[in-house]
Amino acid sequence: MLNSIYIGMSGLTAYSKGLQTISNNVANMNTPGFKGSTPRFEDTYYGQQFAGSTPGTPASMQFGSGVQYGYASLNMAQGDLRSSSGQLDLAIQGNGFLTLLDGDATRYVRTGQFTIGQDGFIEDKVTGLRLAALTDSGKTVPVSMTGLQSSAPKATTAVTFSDNLSTGSTDFSIPDIDVYDANGGKHTLKVAFEPDSDVIPGRWKVTVTDENGLPVTEGPFQFNGGIPEPGADTVDFTLTSTSAPPLSLKLDFSNVTSFSAGSSSTMRVASKDGYAFGTVTSMSVNADGKIEIAYSNGQKALTDVVAIASFRNPGLLTQAGNGIFDASTAGPPNWCISDHDGAGTLVSGSTESSNVDLSSEFGQLILIQRGFQASSQVVSTANEMIMQLFQMRGQG
């Protein structure tokens, strides 16, 4: 009967630990990237005792020693992906893991809310661990935003025009042409066209004025049979400013035609280079697994490829808190990039929710409660039987 008490006590201990697992799952139902665990129980050592041999039965009996809490089996099923307000928040649609660098150590997460640290590296908001990128040689390095948090201005050098400047036009102009100096300063020009065929047939006079209506330059360009004449199809000038170096500009009319279309001209600005200083407006992951940065001046930049790790048996990973997994017992990972090799696809502006299923947890909770109650009843019954023995001895 004493053995029965010990066996019952083993049940109380095992189910208490099982309750800890269930309570931890329920408590983390709203923790991003959390993976629930399923409690596993194991029977313990069986001893043998001699028994009288009877036909068809063995000459010994086996007695178990109770139950023990074996391990908590990780449930690596994916949680729901939820949109978030963080541009650098990342999740994975699939089986892979984001990689975080902790000095010389490497950690893994399913989702993360990232920000740009003071040293220019992308790091997890909670732990401060750096997000890893994958180099061409297969090494992991921190994702750096150094030099990418703004876009330097570029001076305009050429404005290219296209379509038709009708020979019947007598007063045609294109206003609001924005050009930029080397410091990113914007200058708004107006280009007016006036036929000057009295001097040479097919010649036009170009007048450029600034945003204040002040003349900047004046010059001719030439058509020959409605087609720009090579060598006479551009107007070059220099725009001066008190806040920036002189800006050398070229007006390129090589793609313009001059055919009769009455008084209606369709000539327009086809393209121009140069842009102002730009600040970051958005960040997202592109199809190649790189973080794409868009700037207010229309430019874009890319980081290195965000590293994704995949494991042959992710169930061997161990949880280390804050959604972090340790791979010491799971073996080395296979390095992948987004949407390749079955590791999953990076989703920006999203986080992965916990995969805890409350209905399943409550079902497990009921089973553990019943097991604990039954083990408690075994202990109580064995204790009563021992008390009865003591009473019998006193009566003798």
Side-chain angles (χ1 to χ4, degrees):
M1 282 181 286
L2 286 175
N3 287 339
S4 298
I5 292 179
Y6 294 141
I7 291 174
M9 289 296 296
S10 72
L12 296 177
T13 301
Y15 289 121
S16 295
K17 293 180 179 178
L19 181 61
Q20 291 179 11
T21 300
I22 299 300
S23 61
N24 186 60
N25 290 344
V26 174
N28 284 282
M29 61 175 294
N30 290 318
T31 301
F34 177 79
K35 300 302 179 185
S37 300
T38 303
R40 303 294 183 186
F41 301 98
E42 298 174 347
D43 54 348
T44 56
Y45 172 75
Y46 282 80
Q48 291 187 350
Q49 183 176 348
F50 175 78
S53 179
T54 57
T57 62
S60 63
M61 295 183 296
Q62 288 187 325
F63 296 95
S65 301
V67 65
Q68 66 179 359
Y69 186 80
Y71 61 96
S73 174
L74 268 179
N75 175 15
M76 297 304 295
Q78 179 176 312
D80 295 332
L81 298 189
R82 298 176 179 174
S83 297
S84 65
S85 58
Q87 296 183 19
L88 282 176
D89 292 352
L90 295 176
I92 296 180
Q93 182 72 48
N95 300 321
F97 293 81
L98 296 170
T99 304
L100 301 181
L101 301 178
D102 183 10
D104 295 332
T106 305
R107 303 287 184 260
Y108 306 93
V109 292
R110 279 286 303 172
T111 188
Q113 295 175 308
F114 297 98
T115 187
I116 301 173
Q118 294 182 353
D119 52 6
F121 294 101
I122 296 179
E123 60 184 33
D124 183 77
K125 289 181 180 179
V126 178
T127 63
L129 302 184
R130 295 173 176 177
L131 179 66
L134 193 64
T135 65
D136 294 338
S137 61
K139 294 182 179 180
T140 53
V141 296
V143 179
S144 176
M145 287 287 292
T146 301
L148 300 178
Q149 298 188 54
S150 63
S151 175
K154 179 182 178 181
T156 304
T157 60
V159 180
T160 303
F161 297 82
S162 65
D163 294 347
N164 188 61
L165 178 59
S166 176
T167 56
S169 295
T170 58
D171 183 16
F172 181 74
S173 63
I174 301 177
D176 302 328
I177 301 176
D178 294 333
V179 297
Y180 299 92
D181 59 38
N183 292 339
K186 184 172 75 171
H187 306 272
T188 303
L189 305 180
K190 177 182 178 181
V191 181
F193 303 89
E194 182 181 349
D196 198 13
S197 56
D198 293 341
V199 179
I200 301 177
R203 173 167 288 190
W204 289 77
K205 183 173 71 174
V206 180
T207 302
V208 180
T209 55
D210 62 17
E211 55 266 25
N212 299 315
L214 300 176
V216 175
T217 192
E218 185 178 285
F221 77 100
Q222 181 72 41
F223 288 100
N224 187 356
I227 304 299
E229 185 172 312
D233 54 2
T234 62
V235 174
D236 299 322
F237 64 96
T238 300
L239 184 65
T240 59
S241 171
T242 58
S243 59
L247 177 63
S248 297
L249 284 169
K250 174 186 288 187
L251 304 183
D252 185 353
F253 302 103
S254 59
N255 295 321
V256 178
T257 59
S258 184
F259 298 109
S260 178
S263 59
S264 177
S265 292
T266 58
M267 188 169 70
R268 62 184 178 85
V269 174
S271 64
K272 53 188 175 70
D273 59 1
Y275 41 83
F277 176 82
T279 57
V280 175
T281 57
S282 66
M283 290 182 283
S284 60
V285 177
N286 66 10
D288 296 325
K290 299 180 179 180
I291 297 177
E292 184 176 280
I293 306 140
Y295 301 98
S296 57
N297 58 5
Q299 302 305 300
K300 293 183 178 181
L302 298 172
T303 66
D304 293 328
V305 176
V306 176
I308 298 180
S310 66
F311 295 90
R312 181 174 298 178
N313 187 359
L316 295 178
L317 296 170
T318 55
Q319 299 188 101
N322 293 317
I324 294 174
F325 293 89
D326 182 83
S328 299
T329 58
N334 295 317
W335 298 113
C336 313
I337 61 175
S338 180
D339 201 25
H340 289 76
D341 304 319
T345 303
L346 282 171
V347 182
S348 57
S350 300
T351 57
E352 181 183 352
S353 62
S354 165
N355 68 351
V356 173
D357 181 4
L358 276 182
S359 59
S360 298
E361 298 301 324
F362 286 150
Q364 288 279 355
L365 186 63
I366 292 172
L367 292 176
I368 286 177
Q369 183 182 19
R370 288 179 177 175
F372 189 91
Q373 290 174 341
S375 297
S376 176
Q377 186 62 42
V378 168
V379 174
S380 298
T381 300
N383 184 59
E384 291 177 2
M385 293 174 66
I386 291 174
M387 294 300 295
Q388 289 177 2
L389 284 176
F390 285 137
Q391 291 174 1
M392 292 171 58
R393 178 180 178 185
Q395 292 174 0

